[in-house]
Amino acid sequence: TVEAGSRDFFNGYGTIVSTVGRVGLLGSYMHRQGDGARDHTNSRLHDVTGKAVISLSASQVLTVRGSHY
């Protein structure tokens, strides 16, 4: 997903999902930036998130998550 606008506004977001054997994987990345409503109020943001769900047995799963903001 990509959005853009005035005052250098940009918002981009992407997600990837996959399954490998008994492991489900999810990864996402988001970048947002803009000059703000007033002078000298610009901002930039990067966010990376990952998640893995591992099936240990028919009744147990292990979930591991991480993110960097």
Side-chain angles (χ1 to χ4, degrees), residues 15-28 48-56 60-67:
T15 301
I16 187 165
V17 179
S18 181
T19 302
V20 179
R22 298 182 316 175
V23 179
L25 302 168
L26 178 134
S28 65
V48 179
T49 303
K51 179 179 177 181
V53 178
I54 305 159
S55 178
L56 302 175
Q60 294 179 324
V61 297
L62 174 66
T63 302
V64 179
R65 291 185 217 182
S67 69

Side-chain angles (χ1 to χ4, degrees), residues 7-12 31-36 43-45:
R7 299 194 55 83
D8 197 30
F9 174 75
F10 176 84
N11 185 32
H31 173 74
R32 182 178 290 167
Q33 72 180 36
D35 285 341
S43 64
R44 289 194 195 291
L45 173 72

